Amino acid sequence: MSNFDKITTYHGTAEAHADTLVEGKVDTALGGGELGQGFYLGTALHVAKAWAVQMHNCESVVEFQFDDDEFWNFDIESLTEIEAIEYRSNIRRNGQTRTYKFSKDIVWGPIVGGPKVYSDQHKWESKNGESFLNGSKVLRRKR
């Protein structure tokens, strides 16, 4: 399989959590963000590093790489920028940044909170997705 067949995404985190993620211990129930409860991966390394600096005062990033075909086997909700903004607004207004779920494996859309930097995000929210991210079909490494 060539690199053209792979998807590479990034998760900015605290240094103390990076090794745990590399070991395959992602927990989709722990995280939350602008689209609700889940484990967030972004498509831009610089955005993940900025997140780690802002939230954890470090540049700790874990890279997740997996086969493109595996990704498309999941139940994915794809959001436009306008839809992502509307969901973010409603989720924040209702205090659901750590509880809201779409009942999908993955929610895919642009990051709409914070500075205007374009990057997609994948919010993994199902146990099926969690098992995949923790499994042997995913390359996990610190950047």
Side-chain angles (χ1 to χ4, degrees), residues 34 47 51 84-85 88 92 110-117 121:
E34 66 182 28
V47 174
W51 175 261
I85 290 168
R88 178 181 182 266
R92 288 181 66 154
I111 296 172
V112 294
K116 190 68 175 168
V117 175
Q121 61 186 336

Side-chain angles (χ1 to χ4, degrees), residues 4 13 21 30 37 58 62 76 88 104 129 138:
F4 295 112
T13 189
L21 296 175
L30 293 179
Q37 183 183 64
C58 69
V62 178
I76 301 171
R88 178 181 182 266
K104 299 285 184 176
V138 176

Side-chain angles (χ1 to χ4, degrees), residues 34-103:
E34 66 182 28
L35 297 176
Q37 183 183 64
F39 183 76
Y40 287 77
L41 293 170
T43 58
L45 176 58
H46 71 280
V47 174
K49 277 189 179 183
W51 175 261
V53 168
Q54 178 184 355
M55 300 303 291
H56 305 289
N57 199 30
C58 69
E59 292 186 4
S60 183
V61 173
V62 178
E63 177 183 292
F64 288 75
Q65 189 176 83
F66 42 85
D67 187 81
D68 184 68
D69 291 335
E70 296 285 343
F71 181 78
W72 293 110
N73 287 328
F74 287 99
D75 185 12
I76 301 171
E77 177 78 24
S78 182
L79 302 178
T80 66
E81 183 176 19
I82 290 172
E83 290 169 329
I85 290 168
E86 289 174 359
Y87 274 109
R88 178 181 182 266
S89 177
N90 289 333
I91 289 166
R92 288 181 66 154
R93 181 174 43 255
N94 295 322
Q96 296 176 305
T97 58
R98 294 216 167 259
T99 58
Y100 188 84
K101 287 184 155 187
F102 288 75
S103 298

